[in-house]
Amino acid sequence: MADILVVDDDDVIRDTLCELLASDHHCQQAGTAEEALQKLQTQPFDVVLTDISMPGLSGRELLRRVLSLYPGTPVIIVSGLSDQDQAQSLISGGAFDYLIKPFRLEVVEESVRRAVEQRRTNITS
């Protein structure tokens, strides 16, 4: 089982994603990027799944910090905006994937599965 951190300021989305992932993974939640960074300091996570637009630090800034402080940890970005330029910018900036809300649950599951696989490959390499 992988350890997944779901970061979103919307309680319903966090709960839905953790409920979806809980059958195969250990899932923790954070309502802000700042809270996520605190959790990352105390426990390693295999994947961070974060909203892009949140009060305080954005998902973009969380991505930068995770890549800097916890290299090798895949970060999946979730956004309500279908902005191809933003998606490309985030992917080229190190995001593992970019998912659009409303998302299909099977798409999230597949993205997390691939991210966990990549994380495990990086750890064993």
Side-chain angles (χ1 to χ4, degrees):
M1 287 192 130
D3 291 302
I4 311 296
L5 180 58
V6 175
V7 188
D8 199 301
D9 59 322
D10 185 322
D11 297 344
V12 173
I13 290 176
R14 278 195 326 268
D15 289 343
T16 300
L17 289 171
C18 276
E19 192 174 303
L20 170 72
L21 299 170
S23 62
D24 296 321
H25 307 289
H26 297 251
C27 189
Q28 289 194 40
Q29 301 182 26
T32 65
E34 293 85 353
E35 183 183 351
L37 289 168
Q38 289 175 348
K39 287 181 181 276
L40 283 158
Q41 288 176 352
T42 62
Q43 174 188 346
F45 287 90
D46 296 299
V47 177
V48 175
L49 180 64
T50 184
D51 188 18
I52 189 74
S53 181
M54 297 179 287
L57 291 178
S58 69
R60 181 182 294 274
E61 181 59 30
L62 179 60
L63 169 65
R64 278 192 215 111
R65 292 193 187 187
V66 169
L67 293 175
S68 171
L69 298 169
Y70 312 99
T73 302
V75 178
I76 299 169
I77 302 288
V78 179
S79 176
L81 298 174
S82 179
D83 181 335
Q84 198 61 24
D85 290 336
Q86 176 174 265
Q88 288 296 71
S89 170
L90 289 163
I91 296 292
S92 64
F96 178 81
D97 204 353
Y98 184 91
L99 307 177
I100 306 294
K101 293 180 193 174
F103 41 75
R104 292 191 352 253
L105 297 179
E106 60 271 12
V107 171
V108 175
E109 286 178 309
E110 175 60 18
S111 182
V112 169
R113 185 197 62 74
R114 288 184 299 107
V116 167
E117 189 175 283
Q118 175 183 297
R119 171 75 169 163
R120 290 188 174 146
T121 301
N122 289 345
I123 289 174
T124 58
S125 299

